[in-house]
Amino acid sequence: GLHGAIEYCTDLFNETTIIRMGKHFKMLLSSIIKLPQQKIGKLVMITEAEKKQLLVEFLNNGEDYPKDKTIVDLFEEQSNKTPDAIAVVFEEEHLTYKQLNERANQLGHYLRSRGVKEETRVPICIERSVEMFIGILGILKSGGAYVPIDPEYPSLRIKYMLEDAGSAILISSKESRLKLQISEGTEVVELDGDWKTISTQLRDNLQTNIQPNHLAYVIYTSGSTGRPKGVMIEHKSIVHYLTNSKTSYINEKQNGSGSFIHLSYTFDASLTAMFMPLISGKSVILGSKHGLEVFEDSNLYKYAPYDFIKITPLHLELLQPTAKNIDGDWLTKKLVIGGEALHFSQFSYLVERGIDVEIINEYGPTEATVGCSTYGFKTSGDNEGIINNIPIGKPIDNMQLYIVDESNSLLPVGVVGEMCIGGAGLARGYLNLADLTAEKFIQNPFSNEPGSKIYKTGDLCRWQPDGNVEYLGRKDDQVKIRGYRIELAEIESILQQCDLVNQAVVLVKEDKEGNKKLIGYV
């Protein structure tokens, strides 16, 4: 029987095929078929029972959501329900839902008059302000897709993004316009300087033909070629995320504010804090501080408690001073954490001080629309099992997670492979990068649905027996710092453009607190 099995295996084996086996059998097989042991064990053939577990039991999460709605529909419906409620606060300024809706309408009408329509990409480069919200919603109401650009970006990066977006019109302000290199023929709308003209437009909701499959936004992430790449997200994907039962973080029974935003609007994690309150009748408090002072805004305390605060693991350290001498409730009962791997030491101060908070560890690349899996726990609970590794959890409704080998075959519980994502939150692809889109968004081999795709993340993960997923790192040299995806090759490429540099290497180093820093060697 062993001899026959080996003959059968010899026919099957090549560099990408194998059968699960014990180490002694692997050694024996290696010696007989003359194949290195490291190539025996690459792939795992799974049983029908395991296949059912991976494709049915772990992914049985289909739930209905408003497939016929856009983000504009959801906001306008809420504005009609709570017109006088405070929608946005920045420093000493605030807007009610009615005021925000009407001003966004005026901008939307103006943009339509300037040629913006469905699928038009409209960059917005503006500092933190209530105008930032007016600009984003105005673009969406006009039918366009907003392209957020941080005015603090290097000028060459801004220039490339504007050229890549290819729009004849963009939104800015008097202050941020000074950072822009505008090509001839591009119209710049200054929300402060041009508001006198914009305010003559109608305040009524626009009558457009925006469909769920139209673009809502394009967010740029780091690219290994030295140029950032734009991820295209449709209305249906962001609506799916915001209305998902697993990512609905609003507490309708609580009278406090919805969220406090400290993250840049160019980081897709900010969409949770920006839009989720605005489709729920809650207030969004936009922080005015930057860098290490992000949580020193007096409004952080003034408008607490919050239904949730969206935060990266690194920013947890900056929140620590707010947890001292707590007598009563803290800022929030719920922290939604994403952007990079979460470690117990980063929030242990909450446990030590007896502050009861629900923590949601949310995982998801930009290409899967903010978040596609969650793992929740309480700081007051028994957390012995997560001290060494906190799972990224189970897929949210209507999302599918697959862990595969190099030939895109399913891997069973406990075996490390590449995370692939499918489902309602998947991006359309990369702007102006058809080859990369075809490489990363491939046909879903596990679905019979026409046109179904999966996104190959490059993240190494494995299933746990309870259906949670454990994150184990990257296949490539992409890193996460303060939640931002950074391709080390992008920085190396830029360094090597200098005539004085023959070769450059960029590494990530951690200090004793686990904070990551980029170091370049030339």
Side-chain angles (χ1 to χ4, degrees):
L2 178 60
H3 180 73
I6 290 173
E7 283 187 341
Y8 176 68
C9 290
T10 304
D11 292 335
L12 289 179
F13 272 116
N14 54 42
E15 290 191 4
T16 59
T17 313
I18 96 133
I19 289 177
R20 194 168 358 151
M21 62 194 73
K23 64 178 180 178
H24 297 297
F25 184 64
K26 189 187 297 184
M27 290 170 60
L28 174 63
L29 195 57
S30 174
S31 65
I32 293 175
I33 66 175
K34 309 302 183 202
L35 192 66
Q37 285 187 47
Q38 62 266 28
K39 291 185 178 179
I40 299 179
K42 257 189 176 179
L43 301 186
V44 180
M45 298 179 72
I46 64 174
T47 66
E48 285 301 314
E50 288 173 325
K51 188 174 182 181
K52 180 181 178 183
Q53 180 187 42
L54 298 172
L55 297 180
V56 179
E57 296 172 17
F58 287 176
L59 303 182
N60 187 19
N61 59 358
E63 291 289 340
D64 196 24
Y65 67 98
K67 298 182 180 67
D68 59 337
K69 298 290 180 68
T70 67
I71 188 67
V72 174
D73 294 327
L74 298 181
F75 173 71
E76 289 179 351
E77 289 170 6
Q78 187 59 55
S79 181
N80 288 335
K81 293 178 185 176
T82 55
D84 298 323
I86 301 299
V88 177
V89 175
F90 178 75
E91 294 182 337
E92 300 303 316
E93 188 176 3
H94 70 265
L95 294 177
T96 65
Y97 272 82
K98 181 180 180 181
Q99 290 171 327
L100 177 59
N101 188 51
E102 289 182 347
R103 294 187 193 184
N105 284 336
Q106 290 175 316
L107 176 59
H109 283 294
Y110 181 79
L111 292 176
R112 292 291 285 196
S113 74
R114 308 305 298 167
V116 175
K117 57 185 179 180
E118 292 73 27
E119 296 287 311
T120 300
R121 297 180 295 273
V122 183
I124 174 168
C125 183
I126 196 169
E127 66 278 5
R128 286 170 176 248
S129 58
V130 295
E131 284 76 21
M132 184 185 88
F133 281 88
I134 294 169
I136 290 172
L137 286 169
I139 294 169
L140 291 170
K141 281 171 170 285
S142 72
Y146 78 94
V147 184
I149 298 177
D150 193 327
E152 297 303 316
Y153 279 165
S155 59
L156 286 178
R157 189 179 182 92
I158 294 176
K159 184 174 184 290
Y160 170 78
M161 292 168 68
L162 291 175
E163 291 173 351
D164 192 55
S167 178
I169 190 168
L170 65 91
I171 304 295
S172 191
S173 65
K174 288 181 179 179
E175 177 183 337
S176 293
R177 181 176 182 163
L178 301 176
K179 309 285 182 70
L180 305 177
Q181 298 180 34
I182 309 300
S183 58
E184 189 176 346
T186 300
E187 180 180 355
V188 180
V189 179
E190 295 179 2
L191 289 187
D192 44 8
D194 296 328
W195 190 254
K196 186 175 181 180
T197 301
I198 298 169
S199 64
T200 63
Q201 297 288 327
L202 294 173
R203 298 172 184 265
D204 300 335
N205 292 337
L206 284 76
Q207 301 301 313
T208 61
N209 190 37
I210 311 172
Q211 299 298 315
N213 64 334
H214 284 144
L215 273 187
Y217 62 85
V218 178
I219 280 185
Y220 280 83
T221 65
S222 184
S224 59
T225 61
R227 293 175 180 267
K229 53 186 184 289
V231 182
M232 299 184 288
I233 302 294
E234 298 172 345
H235 278 270
K236 62 184 179 183
S237 295
I238 185 62
V239 166
H240 166 262
Y241 170 78
L242 294 172
T243 60
N244 201 290
S245 66
K246 305 293 193 305
T247 51
S248 182
Y249 304 130
I250 293 296
N251 184 351
E252 296 180 358
K253 298 178 181 178
Q254 180 173 293
N255 293 325
S257 304
S259 66
F260 179 87
I261 302 182
H262 68 284
L263 299 169
S264 169
Y265 73 149
T266 61
F267 181 25
D268 73 327
S270 67
L271 272 74
T272 317
M274 188 160 54
F275 283 124
M276 201 166 282
L278 291 181
I279 65 171
S280 307
K282 294 297 187 80
S283 301
V284 179
I285 314 304
L286 181 60
S288 60
K289 304 292 184 179
H290 300 270
L292 299 176
E293 293 80 38
V294 288
F295 296 118
E296 294 180 11
D297 189 326
S298 60
N299 278 349
L300 174 65
Y301 299 93
K302 181 178 178 180
Y303 292 95
Y306 299 92
D307 288 355
F308 70 94
I309 294 178
K310 184 78 176 275
I311 193 170
T312 69
L314 188 60
H315 284 100
L316 279 169
E317 185 179 335
L318 301 181
L319 262 186
Q320 188 166 348
T322 69
K324 292 180 179 178
N325 306 316
I326 293 296
D327 183 18
D329 288 337
W330 191 45
L331 295 170
T332 183
K333 288 288 187 181
K334 184 173 294 185
L335 289 174
V336 181
I337 302 178
E340 57 190 316
L342 174 64
H343 302 290
F344 186 84
S345 60
Q346 294 167 318
F347 61 86
S348 59
Y349 63 88
L350 295 173
V351 177
E352 293 165 0
R353 294 171 190 171
I355 299 174
D356 184 22
V357 176
E358 181 183 6
I359 290 182
I360 308 292
N361 192 26
E362 185 182 274
Y363 163 84
T366 303
E367 291 85 347
T369 311
V370 188
C372 62
S373 74
T374 59
Y375 181 81
F377 58 93
K378 291 260 196 176
T379 54
S380 59
D382 180 9
N383 293 315
E384 283 296 319
I386 61 171
I387 288 179
N388 295 321
N389 198 319
I390 301 172
I392 57 175
K394 300 178 180 180
I396 66 174
D397 300 334
N398 310 302
M399 295 297 288
Q400 295 87 47
L401 306 183
Y402 308 99
I403 297 174
V404 303
D405 56 30
E406 292 180 0
S407 64
N408 298 325
S409 298
L410 288 176
L411 292 173
V413 170
V415 181
V416 179
E418 181 179 8
M419 168 70 79
C420 292
I421 303 170
L426 225 54
R428 181 186 293 182
Y430 297 113
L431 178 63
N432 301 327
L433 295 171
D435 290 345
L436 184 62
T437 297
E439 176 189 339
K440 294 294 186 180
F441 294 84
I442 65 171
Q443 183 177 344
N444 187 345
F446 315 112
S447 172
N448 296 322
E449 183 181 339
S452 177
K453 302 278 187 181
I454 56 173
Y455 168 67
K456 295 176 67 66
T457 67
D459 291 335
L460 295 175
C461 301
R462 65 183 169 200
W463 288 106
Q464 295 180 341
D466 60 0
N468 284 298
V469 174
E470 183 181 357
Y471 175 81
L472 297 166
R474 292 286 303 173
K475 288 180 63 178
D476 52 26
D477 64 354
Q478 183 189 106
V479 297
K480 287 282 192 81
I481 296 184
R482 297 193 301 279
Y484 288 95
R485 280 163 52 176
I486 298 173
E487 298 275 2
L488 299 183
E490 178 181 359
I491 304 172
E492 292 169 352
S493 174
I494 298 299
L495 289 174
Q496 287 167 182
Q497 291 177 20
C498 175
D499 292 337
L500 297 176
V501 175
N502 290 322
Q503 187 177 8
V505 176
V506 176
L507 300 178
V508 175
K509 299 286 188 178
E510 291 190 5
D511 60 22
K512 60 183 179 180
E513 284 79 30
N515 299 322
K516 298 175 184 175
K517 294 183 179 180
L518 292 169
I519 301 180
Y521 299 84
V522 298

